[in-house]
């Protein structure tokens, strides 16, 4: 019999579609396949997940000096990130306060931000200070027409934005996570690698996979699976308090390079943090790995229902960059990381290609998928309500 429930329904937000996902793990069904292809469901996720929660946009060294800026698009929102003369990093919607033109393009250094259309000019804090040929009047005051600012805060050397003016602070969002990651002193780390990878799959597939340990011996059999994992701790909301979902994977040393290769120095961490890697998935878009020698982060940038840009960075203490032959060592870390990421991309694309079928039925979760189940239920809570 053909299961019609795999087709995109009229009302994609009807909670009834998700009742079977919310069952206890052993009886639960996976998310409806159309949630990985539907434009309407994607737009609901954009508005209710990515426009509401904090999103990581990379290491603050992307804007190293006063006046450094770059522009980018975050799920359809054009943004400018710029460092002010006061060395504060700020984010603005890249749309002029006059008639909406894109103000800045690309990246570089600037002293002010000038719109190419009618030359309205904003300082690095987004305040409008020049409007050639247009004078202030009783109705028009420059002070009321600055660029629209977006919340931007730092955590562990990384910039995080929130598009919702009414959101909680980043600290409230993170809960106890900064306390847990304090031993890494990541805010003093330097970013040594940043790469982008397009994944032709829905963002959820790549993010779910990050919490899936079951795939590792198969998808990564020639890379990180060579390192034996002795145990995994899964998230317990009674212990880990914040908008994140964690797992801790136990193995000896680092998985940054294959066994027998030269490694980065290990960090000065408490013994309980040196038994593997701490992996928090920070809602909405940050997949983080606190390892014994480094911090890595994958930013998930959804581009559409079936396309995701993955931006990955690796950070190490400044002292690690001063060891002999650092460049050669880090190049091997970067290579290993690119291999693993490509393997995970392939896995997400296998799923995407299978899930687009209109003749199908809902899948199931296996016991080791329990964190994926938790993650999917979190998504449902955000999109259709708890
Ligand atoms: S739209 Fe920018 S100055 Fe007119
Ligand atoms: Fe993987």
């Amino acid at each position: 019999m053909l299961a019609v429930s795999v087709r995109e329904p009229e009302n994609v937000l009807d909670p009834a579609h998700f009742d079977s996902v919310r069952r206890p793990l052993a009886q639960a069904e996976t998310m409806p396949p159309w949630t990985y292809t539907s434009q309407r469901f994607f737009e609901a996720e954009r508005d209710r997940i990515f426009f509401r929660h904090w999103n990581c946009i990379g290491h603050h060294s992307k804007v190293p000096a006063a006046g450094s800026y770059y522009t980018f698009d975050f799920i359809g929102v054009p943004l400018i990130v710029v460092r002010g003369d006061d060395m504060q990093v700020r984010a603005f919607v890249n749309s002029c306060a006059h008639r909406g033109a894109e103000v800045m393009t690309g990246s570089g250094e600037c002293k002010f931000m000038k719109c190419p259309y009618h030359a309205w000019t904003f300082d690095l804090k987004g305040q409008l200070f020049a409007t050639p040929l247009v004078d202030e009047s009783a109705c028009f005051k420059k002070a009321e027409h600055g660029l629209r600012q977006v919340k931007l805060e730092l955590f562990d050397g990384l910039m995080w934005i929130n598009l919702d003016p009414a959101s909680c602070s980043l600290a409230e969002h993170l809960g106890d996570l900064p306390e847990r990651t304090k031993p890494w002193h990541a805010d003093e780390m330097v970013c040594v690698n940043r790469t982008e990878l397009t994944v032709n799959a829905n963002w959820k597939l790549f993010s779910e996979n990050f919490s899936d340990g079951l795939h590792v011996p198969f998808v990564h059999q020639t890379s990180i699976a060579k390192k034996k994992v002795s145990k995994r701790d899964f998230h317990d909301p009674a212990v880990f308090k914040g908008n994140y979902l964690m797992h801790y994977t136990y193995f000896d040393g680092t998985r940054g390079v294959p066994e027998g290769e030269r490694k980065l120095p290990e960090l000065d961490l408490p013994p309980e943090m040196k038994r593997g890697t701490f992996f928090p998935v920070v809602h909405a878009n940050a997949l983080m790995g606190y390892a014994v020698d480094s911090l890595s982060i994958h930013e998930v940038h959804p581009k559409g229902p079936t396309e995701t840009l993955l931006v990955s960075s690796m950070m190490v203490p400044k002292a690690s960059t001063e060891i002999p032959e650092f460049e050669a060592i880090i190049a091997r870390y970067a290579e290993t990381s690119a291999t693993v990421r490509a393997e995970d991309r392939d896995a997400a694309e296998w799923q995407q290609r299978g899930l687009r079928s209109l003749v199908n039925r809902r899948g199931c979760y296996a016991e080791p998928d329990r964190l994926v189940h938790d993650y999917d239920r979190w998504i449902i809570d955000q999109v259709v309500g708890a």
Side-chain angles (χ1 to χ4, degrees), residues 95-103 114-122:
S95 177
C96 184
H98 179 212
R99 282 183 15 232
E102 184 183 75
V103 177
K114 183 167 149 187
C115 179
Y117 197 179
H118 313 95
W120 285 25
T121 307
F122 305 86

Side-chain angles (χ1 to χ4, degrees), residues 135-167:
D135 296 327
E136 287 201 315
S137 68
C139 308
F140 174 64
K141 303 281 180 230
K142 287 179 201 153
E144 292 164 10
H145 296 271
L147 290 176
R148 165 78 193 273
Q149 190 163 355
V150 166
K151 287 181 179 178
L152 186 152
E153 294 185 40
L154 296 181
F155 161 58
D156 273 359
L158 297 158
M159 302 179 288
W160 303 72
I161 54 167
N162 195 311
L163 296 164
D164 178 3
S167 77

Side-chain angles (χ1 to χ4, degrees), residues 227 254-266 293 314 320 323-336:
K227 189 99 174 166
T254 182
R255 289 199 299 199
V257 283
E259 255 346 302
E261 293 201 22
R262 284 174 302 170
K263 295 177 175 54
L264 293 170
E266 291 200 359
D293 53 2
M314 184 177 168
S320 297
I323 62 169
E325 297 188 67
F326 170 75
E327 293 301 333
I329 296 171
I330 203 67
R332 285 292 297 136
Y333 273 75
E335 231 171 278
T336 307

Side-chain angles (χ1 to χ4, degrees), residues 193 195 197 332-344:
N193 188 247
T195 55
L197 182 73
R332 285 292 297 136
Y333 273 75
E335 231 171 278
T336 307
S337 158
T339 301
V340 174
R341 234 169 313 130
E343 290 166 346
D344 285 326

Side-chain angles (χ1 to χ4, degrees), residues 179-229:
E179 197 52 41
R180 294 183 185 279
T181 65
K182 211 184 217 164
W184 274 265
H185 298 286
D187 51 345
E188 294 161 23
M189 286 183 174
V190 292
C191 182
V192 290
N193 188 247
R194 184 172 167 91
T195 55
E196 296 189 353
L197 182 73
T198 293
V199 182
N200 288 310
N202 183 272
W203 69 274
K204 292 190 289 300
L205 295 174
F206 198 92
S207 298
E208 287 165 350
N209 175 69
F210 194 77
S211 296
D212 164 7
L214 184 58
H215 76 281
V216 174
F218 314 107
V219 172
H220 303 302
Q221 53 184 301
T222 60
S223 59
I224 47 171
K226 290 188 171 165
K227 189 99 174 166
K228 185 156 167 33
V229 170

